[in-house]
Amino acid sequence: MIELWRGDLRESLHRGHAVICDAHGLVEAWGQPSRTIFPRSSCKMIQALPLVESGAADAAGLTDRQLALACASHSGSAMHVQAVRDWTRALDLSEDDLRCGTHMPRDPDENRRLTCSDESPCQFHNNCSGKHAGFLTLNRHLGGGPDYIDPDHPVQQAVKDAFEDVTGETSPGYGIDGCSAPNWACSLEGLARAMARFANPGDDTRGRAMRRLTDAMRHHPDMVAGAGRSCTLLMEAMDNKVTVKTGAEGVFVAILPEQGLGVALKITDGATRASEAAITALLIHLGVLDAQHPIAGKLLNSPIVNCRGIVTGRMCTADAFPH
């Protein structure tokens, strides 16, 4: 899919698989559509479906910014941390009720603040803390026990039911994600099929929930990722008409409502630089991202520059993949 060149020599390459689906099924594919993958964080809008369609979101008075945060892999900026803290406080809960764990934030300002102080990161800094606040909200509505990340817990069983319905597949199993929640496996085509479902929502309860979540994400891209992040930059570059979401280990999805299309890709070696380049190429291929937009250049066609500012190479799509 993606190649890196230094001089006249192809130095590195990234192989992978990509699928485009519409409401009727597969439209285009590269590689193996049937490849079983873990969607990782790319499927957070699926994991948030029970939060909305159960009535839990409305009962808690959640805003669209909070729904975007429920689908986010945020940078842990002060804005994100405060938003999750306020959310849990409104539920009369605290950081201790989260089950996502801690890590240093990706946001440079917040990372620097913590590094230069005696303060340690908390669970609010976790990039999945918004998703977990959504789980806590759903759990409060369902009356479940505190360990909402248990695969057999009512929260995760509701997520599994939604996941299998929108992918059109019985999941072969799950793995435990970085935030400790189960991540259900599916085929890459199943993930693209699910994104096409979001792009073509009906007027039933699930369809309205799909539309509400994707609208929240594309209208609040700063909550989905953060400043300088590919998800935020791409959605802003497409005038908030397309929803995109990255996942760990080289997964990326896109939801194109106006075209009625869903996209899913997986880079085999898990490289983020390649998944960002590949989704950019596909969005250009589908006519929703201008190839001349600076973000397209940044993620796909930017020259590789060394420490002295000398151009040493380039990254581009492989011949068999859309340019």
Side-chain angles (χ1 to χ4, degrees):
M1 284 187 166
I2 303 298
E3 301 177 344
L4 279 85
W5 289 74
R6 188 176 298 270
D8 295 326
L9 179 66
R10 186 178 67 182
E11 185 174 32
S12 300
L13 63 86
H14 297 284
R15 302 184 187 276
H17 316 270
V19 181
I20 301 172
C21 285
D22 64 12
H24 305 290
L26 192 148
V27 175
E28 289 186 88
W30 298 262
Q32 301 172 8
S34 61
R35 176 65 64 92
T36 299
I37 66 163
F38 288 117
R40 303 298 296 270
S41 288
S42 76
C43 71
K44 282 182 176 175
M45 70 291 289
I46 302 176
Q47 294 173 312
L49 276 175
L51 168 65
V52 177
E53 61 189 15
S54 68
D58 286 336
L62 298 188
T63 65
D64 284 351
R65 285 182 68 83
Q66 287 173 309
L67 291 180
L69 192 57
C71 303
S73 298
H74 65 72
S75 296
S77 70
M79 172 186 70
H80 297 122
V81 170
Q82 190 61 50
V84 183
R85 180 179 284 117
D86 291 345
W87 187 346
T88 55
R89 184 180 295 130
L91 296 172
D92 293 323
L93 299 173
S94 71
E95 183 206 352
D96 291 339
D97 293 292
L98 294 169
R99 297 290 186 267
C100 52
T102 64
H103 61 70
M104 286 292 286
R106 183 166 179 166
D107 178 76
D109 292 336
E110 186 68 1
N111 190 297
R112 186 181 305 110
R113 184 185 73 80
L114 292 173
T115 301
C116 297
S117 71
D118 293 328
E119 185 178 345
S120 298
C122 67
Q123 292 191 90
F124 295 135
H125 288 100
N126 189 298
N127 73 99
C128 294
S129 63
K131 178 179 80 171
H132 282 249
F135 285 158
L136 284 171
T137 305
L138 176 60
N139 192 36
R140 171 68 60 86
H141 192 73
L142 297 177
D147 291 322
Y148 61 84
I149 58 172
D150 189 311
D152 294 324
H153 191 280
V155 166
Q156 299 306 328
Q157 285 299 301
V159 170
K160 179 187 178 186
D161 289 345
F163 184 82
E164 292 185 332
D165 176 70
V166 298
T167 59
E169 300 176 357
T170 298
S171 176
Y174 66 88
I176 300 302
D177 214 332
C179 67
S180 299
N183 195 248
W184 299 95
C186 65
S187 72
L188 191 63
E189 183 176 356
L191 184 58
R193 187 184 304 117
M195 296 305 104
R197 285 278 301 275
F198 275 86
N200 299 277
D203 291 325
D204 58 357
T205 300
R206 175 149 294 170
R208 291 193 297 272
M210 287 177 166
R211 184 178 294 106
R212 188 172 172 187
L213 288 167
T214 53
D215 284 352
M217 292 175 72
R218 61 193 177 91
H219 290 144
H220 299 284
D222 57 330
M223 301 304 288
V224 176
R229 299 278 303 283
S230 60
C231 287
T232 298
L233 293 173
L234 284 168
M235 286 189 279
E236 290 175 344
M238 295 180 287
D239 299 322
N240 307 109
K241 294 180 179 179
V242 174
T243 300
V244 299
K245 184 68 184 71
T246 190
E249 297 301 321
V251 184
F252 228 118
V253 301
I255 300 167
L256 289 65
E258 292 184 4
Q259 293 77 13
L261 298 174
V263 180
L265 69 86
K266 162 71 176 177
I267 299 298
T268 306
D269 64 14
T272 296
R273 71 180 183 184
S275 66
E276 292 178 345
I279 195 67
T280 301
L282 287 172
L283 293 169
I284 293 171
H285 170 67
L286 293 170
V288 292
L289 177 64
D290 184 351
Q292 303 307 313
H293 195 285
I295 298 309
K298 174 184 174 66
L299 296 178
L300 177 59
N301 296 314
S302 61
I304 299 170
V305 180
N306 72 6
C307 298
R308 291 192 62 206
I310 299 171
V311 175
T312 61
R314 59 190 172 91
M315 183 165 63
C316 61
T317 53
D319 288 340
F321 196 60
H323 295 282

